[in-house]
Amino acid sequence: GIQTLQSMRQELARYAQSLAEFSPEIANPITKHGSGPSDLAELHCFGCAHEFSRLCLEVMDTLVKTSIESREVFVRDSLGLDLLRCSEAQSHSGPVCNLVKELIAKLASGNKSANLDICSEIQRRLELYVDNWSSLDIAEASRVEISALEALINVDDDLWEDRLRMVLRILFYAAPKAPISSSVSEYILLPCIRATLMLAGESYPDQNPTPGGFLEEGEVPHGVPVSYEEWIEGLSSYPGWRERVLAEEARIKSDSAEEAPPSLNCLSNDKL
């Protein structure tokens, strides 16, 4: 794999150096086909750059899977953001596009800083598409971001809450445009609704807020309010709310035990 990349890099370097010998006006030989020197056809790119990108992605995927040190370097250098912003990655389809979104998800997995950066970039770009819905092909423009979003919501780590915040922000931002734009509804709003259902509706047995069934399903103990405004800004979280619920549950149990009347056995023993 490395030797193939090196050989292809040499070929691309030769191609770029040959282009530099001609006028800057024909720096893009594909769009300037038929103009310029007669030997320009020899400089046409036959997919080398795309193939080089694909091989690089495969090497990076292997390094992320097999080397903790390499993964840390990629995360530190914000490779996930680069992949999200890369126009070359967006021009691919099929297996390469799947590889891009899988790499983004792997780099965001378990790393709060990388996850927040990627979520913020997805949110920024999708909100930009919503703002310009009338002049954009949203289905095509949002393809990479929605694919990355779908990959992120399937990551099995403890950062699901940050992703849920991101999805809800996008959802409520896009909702006012839904009645006037079917493309916003279909390609941004509906994926966000599906993502919300997957993130918020997932069952976490070890995170049951009411262990032992002391509280009825869906019941919130008195004195443990949930503020959406604080939660969406990251000022409160599900684990913190759960701790408050458990503390309130323990207090109610303790108060109930103190107020309970003596049992019949206790009364009988006292009389004896």
Side-chain angles (χ1 to χ4, degrees):
I2 298 298
Q3 292 179 348
T4 303
L5 284 174
Q6 290 176 337
S7 299
M8 189 171 292
R9 182 180 181 278
Q10 292 175 357
E11 181 64 20
L12 288 172
R14 183 202 67 78
Y15 173 73
Q17 184 176 5
S18 299
L19 281 182
E21 297 175 0
F22 295 100
S23 169
E25 296 180 357
I26 55 170
N28 188 342
I30 296 177
T31 59
K32 296 293 183 179
H33 182 69
S35 61
S38 58
D39 59 347
L40 180 61
E42 298 178 2
L43 301 177
H44 282 180
C45 176
F46 295 97
C48 296
H50 278 60
E51 184 67 10
F52 183 75
S53 300
R54 184 187 67 79
L55 290 173
C56 285
L57 288 170
E58 290 181 354
V59 171
M60 286 188 289
D61 185 57
T62 301
L63 289 172
V64 169
K65 290 178 180 177
T66 59
S67 173
I68 297 177
E69 293 80 6
S70 297
R71 183 182 183 279
E72 290 176 350
V73 170
F74 291 154
V75 169
R76 186 179 67 242
D77 291 345
S78 301
L79 178 63
L81 280 178
D82 291 340
L83 289 172
L84 197 57
R85 296 166 176 167
C86 180
S87 59
E88 177 67 19
Q90 296 183 39
S91 64
H92 284 287
S93 60
V96 173
C97 192
N98 291 333
L99 190 57
V100 169
K101 71 178 185 180
E102 288 171 7
L103 267 172
I104 291 173
K106 288 172 185 176
L107 293 171
S109 175
N111 188 293
K112 188 174 182 66
S113 177
N115 180 70
L116 286 174
D117 287 344
I118 291 172
C119 285
S120 297
E121 182 65 11
I122 292 175
Q123 178 184 342
R124 185 189 70 82
R125 294 170 76 94
L126 289 180
E127 289 179 355
L128 180 65
Y129 302 153
V130 170
D131 290 338
N132 297 275
W133 65 271
S134 61
S135 59
L136 278 178
D137 179 357
I138 291 185
E140 180 63 25
S142 63
R143 180 169 54 88
V144 172
E145 290 78 16
I146 294 299
S147 295
L149 175 62
E150 292 173 349
L152 280 178
I153 62 177
N154 289 305
V155 173
D156 185 16
D157 61 10
D158 59 354
L159 301 176
W160 61 271
E161 198 169 7
D162 291 329
R163 297 174 192 130
L164 180 58
R165 289 188 182 98
M166 176 261 297
V167 171
L168 289 177
R169 290 191 190 105
I170 299 170
L171 193 154
F172 290 132
Y173 193 88
K177 294 291 194 301
I180 57 176
S181 172
S182 59
S183 58
V184 170
S185 299
E186 183 174 355
Y187 298 110
I188 293 183
L189 203 62
L190 287 180
C192 286
I193 292 174
R194 287 194 294 267
T196 301
L197 290 173
M198 291 186 66
L199 289 168
E202 187 71 29
S203 176
Y204 297 92
D206 60 331
Q207 296 184 7
N208 186 350
T210 58
F214 181 73
L215 297 172
E216 295 296 330
E217 183 178 357
E219 181 182 354
V220 178
H222 178 69
V224 188
V226 180
S227 170
Y228 174 79
E229 290 75 15
E230 290 184 1
W231 177 82
I232 198 68
E233 294 298 328
L235 301 177
S236 62
S237 64
Y238 174 79
W241 176 81
R242 179 173 178 261
E243 290 180 2
R244 293 164 60 199
V245 169
L246 294 175
E248 181 69 6
E249 183 185 32
R251 185 189 66 79
I252 294 174
K253 283 183 177 180
S254 177
D255 292 346
S256 299
E258 292 176 0
E259 296 173 0
S263 65
L264 293 178
N265 291 334
C266 291
L267 290 174
S268 300
N269 290 336
D270 291 342
K271 291 182 178 179
L272 291 175

